[in-house]
DNA sequence: CTGTTAGCGCGTTCAG
DNA sequence: CTGAACGCGCTAACAG
């Protein structure tokens, strides 16, 4: 690969002049500029990022670390959102996946530090509280999580708002008797959405039957297994079965569809189903297509980068900032046939 | 951030000695070593990747570029496979997603060149032929694609083998009357699997009814829409409906489940379903869980990195290397009830 | 408008 | 076993 010196020599100018045309600095005489440019094109020259970084002491790189990718590819939307925004600033991204392994986390943090990342984004798979905050010697933005001893930037989905929107939609369609198959109860998302649901219900003088609130998973949080099918089967066998089920995520909703099939119930005719997450792989593929609430992961990625790269413009507060979750109306909810 | 010079000064040794303990070079007197190490730990020193790279002229970075992420998060497995292997070699990864935009592709290639990537992996969403080969001035491995004018390394899933395994499994279960809802016919994957199916059928003196081979998508390849539900409905209404349906991917299989529900057919009692891809989000969530064929994306990622980082060990041939697709037996296939 | 000089933080060379 | 000096490719600071 050729160097700036080569360009300068070939073009018969000084190194600095070559540098100037590359960086579009200062006024350069047009003929000089085009002569230098011609050499650059001919030699296929690209400035060395490493050398540039050494001189300017800015890496132009931000690190992205996730805890688990697991079954839910939640991080790809965040990555895309981040990339969109980074591209606009001419920056690049290093990614790391710790798989919840402390050893790997340390290694990757070292790697980030060696690359002198200008910022770091840490995302957890579930909206949760962190015990320790990863430290890469650069500004940090937390995605989908927060920490008590951490007064920096933190972006979380507005689970309360999303849960409220879902509940209101079902109520507006005429449902009065709702079932819930939730995520693990220890997750803030679960509690926030339940609280929102109870609020929406209370506004109409209704309440939630405790029997109709189930968890869609079994086992410890780190190794939980889907059990929504069984929960749904049980719920649908009851004489007072709900006319609609609110699900903790789209996978649960998928299992509810399967349970409905098994019970000979049509969606949405006999049973309305509401998902959460808007995993297109499921929500757009199911027939009838799934009405769900979209998690704003791409938007969170964009906001995180903006906060990192241009902090003045994004004055992050010390409390987690809630990013809106949008209701995606498709075909899995209809007015109830029995009141 | 402190530098090697700081370390040397604080420890009262020369820069070179400090450098030696960091890189574990040469014999150093133990007491000197531990004194230097103590300073390193105290100052939280990390060597500058940029400075190192400039000196050694090796970036330790490989680039990963994908064409579309779209609905199918196919690339996350590749990324994970690559990361596993890169970690073992102490290297890192830069990622880019072109969204099939030539402009973006050029920009990212420049970025890769500026970072002096030591290798590049290009992955396409579908197993396909490339018109032009992206060039980053470094060794290249193609994933999921190949090009006629390109005699370098290329890894593709063994669609023929996977299709054959799926067909054999259905035949071994006793199925004789098979339906197919495939990917777009222009894709090599489609043709390879169909050929494998015909071979397996021919081995038993059977053949495929042309009426029972449908495509699960409509519209042009770049913007195709799932239409497997309609195809399945049509197929299941036929008097000679198949006892099993082979699907081009797991999303198609999901729609076949939905169509079966609509027709009042139980899976696998009335209809066996075989997927392809093994998207866990779908295959492990469906009830009954989906029997499918796994695409070896993580393995392809690992192999690509190995070929790049240690070419001697992985002598890639000039023809695309086929990576085995494994049958994942779950619960969606059972012996047919009507012969 | 253009050129000269001096490092950025490392690893390498060669000399102790 | 250890140290001094040099240069990787580039840009900042300051001349001209």
């Amino acid at each position: 690969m050729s160097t700036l010196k080569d360009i300068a020599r070939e073009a018969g100018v000084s190194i600095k002049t070559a540098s100037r045309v590359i960086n579009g600095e200062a006024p350069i005489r047009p003929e000089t500029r085009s002569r230098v440019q011609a050499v650059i094109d001919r030699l296929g020259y690209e400035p060395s990022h490493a050398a540039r970084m050494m001189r300017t002491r800015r890496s132009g790189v931000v690190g992205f670390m996730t805890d688990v990718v697991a079954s839910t590819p939640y991080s790809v939307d965040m990555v895309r959102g981040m990339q969109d925004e980074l591209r606009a600033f001419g920056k690049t991204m290093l990614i790391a996946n710790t798989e919840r392994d402390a050893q790997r986390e340390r290694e990757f943090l070292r790697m980030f530090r060696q690359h002198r990342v200008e910022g770091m984004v840490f995302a957890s798979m579930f909206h949760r509280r962190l015990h320790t905050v990863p430290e890469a010697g650069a500004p940090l933005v937390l995605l989908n999580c927060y920490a008590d001893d951490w007064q920096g930037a933190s972006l979380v989905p507005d689970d309360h708002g999303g849960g409220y929107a879902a509940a209101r939609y079902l109520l507006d369609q005429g449902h009065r008797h709702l079932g819930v198959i939730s995520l693990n109860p220890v997750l803030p998302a679960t509690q926030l959405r339940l609280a929102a649901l109870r609020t929406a219900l209370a506004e109409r003088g209704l309440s939630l039957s405790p029997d109709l609130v189930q968890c869609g998973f079994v086992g410890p949080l780190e190794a939980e297994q889907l059990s929504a099918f069984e929960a749904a089967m049980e719920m649908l066998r009851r004489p007072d079965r709900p006319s609609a089920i609110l699900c903790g995520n789209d996978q649960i909703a998928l299992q509810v569809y399967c349970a409905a099939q098994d019970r000979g119930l049509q969606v949405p005719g006999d049973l309305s189903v509401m998902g959460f997450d808007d995993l297109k792989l499921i929500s757009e593929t199911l027939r009838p297509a799934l009405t769900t609430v979209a998690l704003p992961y791409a938007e969170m990625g964009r906001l995180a980068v903006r906060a990192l790269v241009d902090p003045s413009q994004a004055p992050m507060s010390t409390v987690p900032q809630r990013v809106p979750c949008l209701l995606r109306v498709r075909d899995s909810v209809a007015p109830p046939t029995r009141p």
Side-chain angles (χ1 to χ4, degrees), chain A residues 36-250:
Chain A
V36 173
Q37 189 60 52
V39 176
I40 290 173
D41 294 343
R42 178 159 59 81
L43 268 49
Y45 168 80
E46 291 290 352
S48 154
H49 174 84
R52 223 173 213 179
M53 166 178 172
M54 231 169 110
R55 201 46 254 213
T56 60
R57 323 200 34 107
R58 315 185 56 250
S59 67
V61 174
V62 331
F64 178 58
M65 194 152 113
T66 56
D67 58 351
V68 203
V69 171
S71 51
T72 319
Y74 74 101
S75 59
V76 319
D77 284 334
M78 290 181 184
V79 171
R80 293 177 68 185
M82 286 181 65
Q83 284 218 339
D84 284 349
E85 202 66 21
L86 286 169
R87 204 166 79 99
F89 289 99
K91 302 201 181 291
T92 57
M93 183 163 115
L94 236 30
I95 72 170
N97 174 356
T98 68
E99 299 290 349
R100 277 231 183 91
D101 177 33
Q103 168 71 17
R104 287 179 73 124
E105 177 169 328
R106 273 192 302 274
E107 276 178 36
F108 283 127
L109 285 174
R110 279 192 53 188
M111 189 266 274
F112 282 179
R113 269 194 288 263
Q114 295 187 354
H115 280 263
R116 304 292 191 265
V117 294
E118 291 173 5
M120 163 167 169
V121 177
F122 180 89
S124 76
M125 175 164 160
F126 287 118
H127 177 173
R128 67 178 171 108
R129 191 165 72 79
L130 248 42
H131 304 308
T132 61
V133 173
E135 182 53 66
L140 171 68
V141 174
L142 261 24
L143 251 37
N144 232 13
C145 52
Y146 56 93
D148 291 341
D149 58 336
W150 161 248
Q151 72 288 24
S154 166
L155 261 30
V156 300
D158 181 8
D159 281 296
H160 188 96
Y164 185 81
R168 275 299 297 267
Y169 182 69
L170 287 174
L171 291 170
D172 288 348
Q173 293 289 311
H175 292 274
R176 294 290 175 268
H177 193 51
L178 304 182
V180 174
I181 301 183
S182 72
L183 301 177
N184 195 308
V186 307
L187 299 173
T190 305
Q191 297 307 326
L192 289 166
R193 296 182 205 163
L194 271 179
L197 172 57
R198 292 206 169 89
T199 301
L201 249 16
E203 287 170 1
R204 313 247 173 155
L206 301 170
S207 67
L208 199 53
S209 162
D211 292 342
L212 296 184
V213 179
Q214 304 274 333
C215 173
F217 293 86
V218 290
L221 189 54
E222 313 75 44
E224 57 185 8
Q225 303 277 326
L226 262 175
S227 62
F229 181 79
E230 290 73 21
M233 287 298 283
E234 196 275 332
M235 203 176 275
L236 295 178
R237 262 194 289 263
R238 303 173 64 94
D240 64 334
R241 69 174 166 82
S243 65
I245 296 182
L246 269 158
C247 303
N249 64 28
D250 292 348

Side-chain angles (χ1 to χ4, degrees), chain A residues 297-311:
Chain A
Y297 285 157
E299 178 65 9
M300 285 163 64
R302 279 189 290 271
L303 289 172
V305 168
R306 222 169 293 160
L308 248 23
V309 172
D310 188 359

